Amino acid sequence: MRQTSFRRFAVVLMGVVALVAAACGSSSTGSTSSPSVQTLKVALIEPSLRNDLAFSQSMFAALQSLAGPMNLQIAVTDNAFNVTDAANAMHQYAASGYNLVIAHGSQYGGTIQQLAPQFPKTSFAWGTAGVTFGQPNVFAYQANSQEGGYVEGYEAALLSKSKVLGVIGPIDVGDAHLYVVGFKAGALAADPHVTVRVSFTGSFSDTTLMSTAATSYVSQGADVLTGTSQSVVGAIGVAKNKNVAWFGTQWDQSSLASSQVVASQVYDWTGIVKQMVTAIRGGVLGGATYTITLGNDGEKIAYNPSYSLPASVKSGGDGVVAKIISGAITPPTN
Amino acid sequence: MRAPGLTRHPRILPAGRRRALLISWLVLPSAAIVALLMGAVLMLVFGANPIVGYQALLAGAFGDSYALTSTAVKAVPLLLVGAGICIAFRANVLNIGGEGQIAMGGLAATATALAVPNLPSPVLIPLTLLAGAVGGGVWGAIPGAFKAYFNVNEILSTIMLNLVAVQFMNYMLSGPLVARSGYAVGGLIPQTQLLSPNSWLPTLIEGTQMHLGVLIALVLAIAVYVLLWRTSFGFRIRAVGLSREASQYAGIAVKPTITWAMTLAGALSGVAGAMLVFGSISHRMVTDGSLTGFTGNAGFNGIVVALFAGLHPLWTIVTAFLFAGLLVGGTSMQVVTGVPSDLVTAINGLVVVLVVSVEYMRRRSRARARAVDMLGPPAAGVTELVRA
Amino acid sequence: MSQFFTAAVLTATVASGIQLATPFLLAGLGETMGQRSGVVNLGVDGIMLLGAFSAYFTALKTGNLLLAALAGIGIGVAMGLVTALVSVTLKAEQGISGIGVFLFGLGLTDLLLLKLVPAPATVAALPTVRIPLLDRLPAIGTVFFQQDWLVYFAFLLVPVLTFVLNRTTYGMKIRAVGENPAAADTVGVSVARIRYSTVLIGCALAGLAGAALLLFVGIFQQDLTNSEGFIAVALVYFGAWRPIGVMAGSLLYGMVGSIVLTSKTLGIIPLSGSDIAAMAPAVITVLALLSVARRFRQPAALGRPYERGT
């Protein structure tokens, strides 16, 4: 079996080269630098690509915009949908002296819970969830997606002529769950007779399923669609080609279908990040939970300037926003 | 082989032979260098310094004790799946279902730990690993039996079962097994609660990730070696793989052998799944909706690792470790240089293709060298007639 | 449940099923050609990804969808040359080299997406082409004769390739090389040339399949194909290496998927059963093969590199 012995030789050779090179190389060490006014080293770990026009992009964009003004040095490990690899990256960032490790994905929570005690001088931020595990160096942050969902559902019901709305979610968890619940409630509040169809594709990443679901909704007469997760771009493509209105969330999706996207609930994490960074620079590494809402400008309804929205719909929406902020309406979460 | 009476004076080699040998020795390093160069070009395109990048990769994989143990831990699923592939492929059953088998094993093990969390460690840990083996084993037995008894092609059935497994995993982790102590304002995370500490694989070296699973995986790999070459069952597996008809003629029960081969391969992948859960930092089973999110592509990488080792379980230990180094190093490279770890995935692919390609050139050069031995410097076309 | 059986929903479901089946069909037909001549290509998914990305990039830059499809084919041909070189000339182990190509395609497309398209935008879908007269047929007309031209092309390939394989000299050579390359070699058939041609065709079709998927979805994403390439390879086995079998498998898979999705959107399948229902296409495919229990043999030389004298 010459074939096999060749392969084995190849393998041994590679091993020797690797070990020799590693011995010659330097390993990365670092002590946690004092985070006062010096550059704060921030690491971001997120489950999809940073240009996904949804969840991951929202945090990446927030950090990028703050990097200069707040003197931050940003490192990104994106596409980290495998939790084990993400955990390795988090560990390495913490061990390399990063001051703030942002784990932007609810699946990272268990890892944060175990890692935080090992690195008491590093601050960990976990989103989207509302639990800090009682650790002094863990921040938690979440999004009240149901608020923007409610507003958009309300407007969608008013806007729709066929009175059939289609909602496509990935998996019924986390902020996807909240948004979908809020949307349906808002739609029914605007018009109790509207039909809101809800389905979940079962994947955060499968764009084909989203496209197919969108097509199916359109065939059932839906003239307004919405959905959440990074795979939603597939559904937006269908909305564009079938000229059906789209309401987006997590990021401003107007660019994807400039004549069909009505509005998007944009997550603006800059407020929260500012608070966390300031706290860290003041010596507080965790123990607080932050929520973005319509009230604190963490969530904004971004209207697509290219879409001519009837004034009555917009004022209806604005009215609902005001009521949510004042507390008159509390969109449900389940 | 060598013609009798023909001696070879070490200093007086026919020119053709010398050149042929030279080619055969240069081929592998050339392949490695080409792969590295292509990787360096990709790094340059991304604005990273290749030297810094490769250094970060190697340091992240092998640079210090934490790195080495991380690599060892990353190698565990690769080794287990690879060992299973050694069994399956040697029985000529092409198991592409590693991903699904890992997931099913992980689920079975997790369910066990959730059901009986208070059993003491020495009982609970073997129990969960056994559950993992059973879960994965069942998932391997199905396509194995389908092939043996119904002639359903195993590539088809294993790929399809992967698809079924991911949906089942999502269902279990959002439904029956989900942690109900809600974290968020509303909406659960598709993960289990923190699993009982009695089920965690104990850390062998303080301050590192090295856990008991590494030792268990090594033992299992050795066991597979023993199984394949020192038991009659292993003999039957190899015989069936070489020739189904001849084995049948020799009285070997072909159908059960094929089924068992796939079952064992699935069981080993299932143990890998269990170890991914109980050796993880988070000590939970969590999903993002995809198989790769849980397995890290171990189902496919295990195939590469086994084939590189010539389907030999002991050599699989080495190849799994090296391949794991590439993977762990890739994550590290992204941390240090900012170059996405996808680059390492692409380089992995290049390395695989290149190394596998040059084998032939090496074989041919060796053949030429032998031919020159026997026949003297080649006349035109003569070496073509020599068997490779 | 009654909502399902309205004309609009039914036709949309079947039409979606056909659209879903198309990438599988294209890639599967390509792989069939290669496998009939004895070459297994497990890298189809990687080539689909590369084809999808090149189609996406081309569509973004030029707005021309035909060019985008051609770009997909082009990259498929390029990868086909590499695959043929590795599998036929260098006689590498086909299983591993295929997975290597897959890893390469997976990693490279993500990198290219990050580097070349930092702000992704959607591209237009292929326009529907109505076949005159036929599209006026009730129900069937809307479903079958109002698709885009890639769909027509894919389904037309089925009889074309069946004809080529069974009734042309070229097809005979392909089959001969796949069954007994040594014998074919003896009678003067160039094994290498035949295999090169089938691999090139196969990978070109895989690239086109990626482009088709991309044009259906409208944008490129990380791992757009989601392992569809592997499913396509599996469908070759389902189809017993015959184009019409591959078509049957693709349609079955696509149609079941479409039915499940429609049922979910209509609420017929409750949310709690969503995941279980999503298993349906895979389960039904395996059950279908099980029940037919055919005994078609694979090409005898499948997966084994040919070297004169062995």
Side-chain angles (χ1 to χ4, degrees):
Chain A
M1 291 261 271
R2 296 232 174 257
Q3 197 163 325
T4 322
S5 60
F6 169 78
R7 277 192 207 135
R8 292 175 188 171
F9 168 71
V11 153
V12 170
L13 185 63
M14 283 196 283
V16 169
V17 167
L19 286 171
V20 166
C24 296
S26 57
S27 59
S28 59
T29 55
S31 53
T32 313
S33 55
S34 161
S36 51
V37 200
Q38 285 175 311
T39 311
L40 204 74
K41 289 167 69 171
V42 180
L44 171 64
I45 293 104
E46 46 190 16
S48 50
L49 287 180
R50 70 196 77 177
N51 60 350
D52 69 350
L53 293 155
F55 187 67
S56 291
Q57 185 156 358
S58 62
M59 181 54 87
F60 177 66
L63 285 178
Q64 265 197 320
S65 66
L66 289 176
M70 296 202 85
N71 198 12
L72 307 174
Q73 181 190 322
I74 318 267
V76 180
T77 294
D78 59 352
N79 217 17
F81 51 87
N82 180 273
V83 177
T84 314
D85 292 339
N88 280 344
M90 281 185 239
H91 189 283
Q92 187 165 359
Y93 282 122
S96 311
Y98 275 74
N99 305 106
L100 171 61
V101 176
I102 303 181
H104 190 61
S106 52
Q107 64 262 54
Y108 303 134
T111 308
I112 296 286
Q113 188 180 14
Q114 304 298 320
L115 270 186
Q118 298 177 29
F119 295 96
K121 296 216 188 78
T122 311
S123 174
F124 293 88
W126 177 37
T128 51
V131 163
T132 65
F133 307 112
Q135 302 272 7
N137 60 338
V138 174
F139 288 112
Y141 59 89
Q142 55 195 354
N144 275 3
S145 327
Q146 72 277 13
E147 294 185 6
Y150 192 94
V151 175
E152 296 194 341
Y154 193 91
E155 293 184 336
L158 293 178
L159 185 64
S160 169
K161 297 196 175 52
S162 67
K163 298 300 173 192
V164 178
L165 311 177
V167 182
I168 320 167
I171 305 184
D172 193 9
V173 289
D175 75 321
H177 168 87
L178 293 174
Y179 175 76
V180 166
V181 166
F183 187 92
K184 185 165 181 175
L188 290 172
D191 181 354
H193 301 294
V194 78
T195 309
V196 184
R197 299 234 160 97
V198 177
S199 63
F200 289 91
T201 61
S203 161
F204 282 104
S205 55
D206 194 333
T207 5
T208 320
L209 289 174
M210 282 271 177
S211 300
T212 313
T215 312
S216 181
Y217 279 138
V218 172
S219 79
Q220 296 163 28
D223 61 353
V224 183
L225 295 176
T226 188
T228 167
S229 91
Q230 68 267 25
S231 56
V232 96
V233 288
I236 300 180
V238 169
K240 180 173 171 184
N241 292 314
K242 306 249 190 223
N243 201 21
V244 166
W246 175 268
F247 281 90
T249 179
Q250 294 179 332
W251 192 244
D252 187 353
Q253 294 166 341
S254 320
S255 61
L256 289 174
S258 51
S259 308
Q260 285 80 24
V261 175
V262 180
S264 314
Q265 170 183 220
V266 178
Y267 289 171
D268 183 355
W269 303 105
T270 51
I272 300 192
V273 175
K274 271 191 208 154
Q275 290 183 63
M276 288 197 281
V277 169
T278 312
I280 295 172
R281 285 199 164 121
V284 174
L285 297 182
T289 305
Y290 301 98
T291 311
I292 50 170
T293 66
L294 285 175
N296 64 13
D297 248 6
E299 289 174 355
K300 302 183 175 94
I301 310 288
Y303 290 95
N304 179 4
S306 309
Y307 191 90
S308 45
L309 188 62
S312 56
V313 176
K314 173 116 187 341
S315 60
D318 289 341
V320 171
V321 171
K323 287 199 184 135
I324 293 179
I325 293 179
S326 71
I329 298 182
T330 310
T333 58
N334 271 304
Chain B
M1 302 291 271
R2 202 168 299 169
L6 195 72
T7 53
R8 196 187 54 187
H9 193 292
R11 263 176 290 156
I12 308 175
L13 293 173
R17 183 178 197 280
R18 195 166 50 226
R19 198 185 68 191
L21 268 184
L22 198 63
I23 293 179
S24 84
W25 284 102
L26 280 184
V27 152
L28 168 65
S30 313
I33 291 176
V34 169
L36 286 178
L37 282 177
M38 287 168 116
V41 166
L42 281 173
M43 278 194 237
L44 282 172
V45 166
F46 268 82
N49 181 337
I51 309 211
V52 171
Y54 280 127
Q55 221 171 19
L57 184 121
L58 288 168
F62 310 116
D64 59 16
S65 59
Y66 189 83
L68 279 169
T69 53
S70 301
T71 303
V73 166
K74 185 80 176 169
V76 165
L78 296 177
L79 174 59
L80 287 170
V81 173
I85 296 287
C86 289
I87 301 179
F89 278 36
R90 274 187 188 270
N92 208 19
V93 187
L94 302 178
N95 178 20
I96 318 282
E99 296 275 288
Q101 290 147 14
I102 294 176
M104 296 307 264
L107 279 173
T110 305
T112 310
L114 286 172
V116 283
N118 296 317
L119 289 179
S121 274
V123 176
L124 187 56
I125 292 182
L127 191 62
T128 56
L129 294 181
L130 189 62
V134 168
V138 166
W139 217 242
I142 297 176
F146 279 8
K147 171 170 175 126
Y149 296 97
F150 300 109
N151 204 31
V152 172
N153 183 277
E154 70 274 18
I155 295 188
L156 171 80
S157 50
T158 50
I159 290 180
M160 291 295 155
L161 282 178
N162 282 350
L163 299 173
V164 176
V166 67
Q167 298 301 341
F168 188 68
M169 179 179 74
N170 288 341
Y171 167 69
M172 294 297 277
L173 290 177
S174 316
L177 296 183
V178 73
R180 296 216 166 256
S181 52
Y183 283 134
V185 172
L188 303 167
I189 303 170
Q191 65 177 13
T192 62
Q193 67 199 39
L194 190 60
L195 296 168
S196 150
N198 290 351
S199 66
W200 302 359
L201 289 166
T203 315
L204 294 176
I205 304 179
E206 207 41 58
T208 71
Q209 282 193 48
M210 182 80 139
H211 57 66
L212 186 63
V214 175
L215 279 185
I216 299 180
L218 284 172
V219 166
L220 285 174
I222 297 174
V224 170
Y225 168 74
V226 167
L227 175 83
L228 281 174
W229 277 281
R230 300 264 185 269
T231 67
S232 57
F233 178 60
F235 174 78
R236 290 200 291 273
I237 287 179
R238 287 181 291 125
V240 167
L242 284 172
S243 168
R244 199 167 160 163
E245 286 81 15
S247 308
Q248 208 153 12
Y249 183 73
I252 295 179
V254 167
K255 293 181 184 176
T257 307
I258 290 181
T259 312
W260 271 110
M262 269 300 290
T263 309
L264 284 175
L268 283 163
S269 301
V271 173
M275 293 209 186
L276 279 173
V277 175
F278 297 108
S280 64
I281 293 186
S282 66
H283 304 297
R284 296 167 190 268
M285 188 167 181
V286 59
T287 178
D288 74 320
S290 70
L291 270 181
T292 318
F294 177 62
T295 68
N297 232 1
F300 286 107
N301 293 335
I303 299 178
V304 174
V305 153
L307 286 172
F308 264 166
L311 294 179
H312 193 296
L314 296 181
W315 276 99
T316 309
I317 298 175
V318 179
T319 55
F321 187 76
L322 287 177
F323 203 90
L326 274 177
L327 295 172
V328 170
T331 308
S332 178
M333 192 173 77
Q334 181 164 19
V335 168
V336 172
T337 66
V339 175
S341 57
D342 299 297
L343 184 122
V344 175
T345 309
I347 296 184
N348 279 355
L350 280 175
V351 168
V352 168
V353 172
L354 282 167
V355 169
V356 140
S357 305
V358 298
E359 217 173 280
Y360 169 70
M361 285 201 260
R362 191 178 174 272
R363 253 187 295 146
R364 236 173 81 119
S365 302
R366 292 277 298 233
R368 276 181 190 263
R370 280 207 307 284
V372 172
D373 257 354
M374 288 166 59
L375 305 164
V382 161
T383 46
E384 295 303 319
L385 295 177
V386 175
R387 287 180 139 261
Chain C
M1 190 64 175
S2 57
Q3 305 152 308
F4 196 103
F5 293 102
T6 59
V9 171
L10 269 178
T11 51
T13 307
V14 177
S16 270
I18 293 180
Q19 261 200 317
L20 276 178
T22 304
F24 293 114
L25 181 57
L26 284 169
L29 286 174
E31 179 73 8
T32 303
M33 294 297 279
Q35 287 208 7
R36 277 312 268 274
S37 74
V39 181
V40 177
N41 180 13
L42 284 182
V44 174
D45 202 52
I47 302 177
M48 278 176 76
L49 281 168
L50 289 166
F53 184 81
S54 34
Y56 179 58
F57 193 68
T58 310
L60 276 180
K61 294 293 171 204
T62 69
N64 186 328
L65 297 178
L66 179 60
L67 268 183
L70 288 176
I73 297 181
I75 208 82
V77 169
M79 292 307 293
L81 278 171
V82 171
T83 306
L85 181 72
V86 167
S87 297
V88 180
T89 306
L90 297 177
K91 309 193 202 308
E93 181 108 25
Q94 289 163 15
I96 329 184
S97 61
I99 297 187
V101 170
F102 162 60
L103 291 173
F104 177 70
L106 187 65
L108 188 66
T109 49
D110 283 350
L111 288 177
L112 289 174
L113 182 66
L114 282 174
K115 182 78 186 164
L116 294 178
V117 197
T122 49
V123 297
L126 286 170
T128 315
V129 175
R130 293 163 173 260
I131 310 248
L133 287 185
L134 283 173
D135 80 315
R136 301 257 181 89
L137 291 171
I140 307 180
T142 330
V143 166
F144 293 114
F145 301 110
Q146 284 182 22
Q147 300 277 2
D148 60 67
W149 60 264
L150 261 178
V151 173
Y152 296 135
F153 178 74
F155 282 89
L156 278 174
L157 265 185
V158 176
V160 166
L161 287 180
T162 310
F163 182 81
V164 167
L165 277 172
N166 295 330
R167 298 222 188 272
T168 64
T169 321
Y170 175 57
M172 194 177 67
K173 289 184 187 172
I174 294 176
R175 287 180 285 128
V177 163
E179 295 294 335
N180 193 339
D185 194 15
T186 315
V187 293
V189 173
S190 166
V191 173
R193 200 178 295 170
I194 294 288
R195 285 183 171 173
Y196 258 83
S197 69
T198 54
V199 168
L200 278 175
I201 294 175
C203 294
L205 284 173
L208 184 61
L213 180 64
L214 185 280
L215 291 173
F216 173 56
V217 171
I219 195 171
F220 189 85
Q221 276 228 313
Q222 186 261 339
D223 198 15
L224 182 74
T225 55
N226 221 18
S227 294
E228 279 188 11
F230 289 97
I231 300 175
V233 174
L235 289 174
V236 172
Y237 295 93
F238 179 91
W241 295 274
R242 279 144 188 73
I244 200 151
V246 174
M247 182 181 88
S250 311
L251 277 175
L252 177 69
Y253 194 81
M255 211 54 80
V256 175
S258 180
I259 293 175
V260 166
L261 213 49
T262 304
S263 307
K264 277 204 237 183
T265 57
L266 279 173
I268 298 174
I269 296 180
L271 290 179
S272 54
S274 187
D275 297 315
I276 306 284
M279 296 180 191
V283 169
I284 291 183
T285 307
V286 176
L287 287 179
L289 192 56
L290 204 62
S291 65
V292 174
R294 290 169 300 194
R295 303 223 149 228
F296 282 110
R297 251 184 350 105
Q298 68 184 37
L302 187 61
R304 284 203 300 249
Y306 173 66
E307 190 163 5
R308 188 175 290 168
T310 54

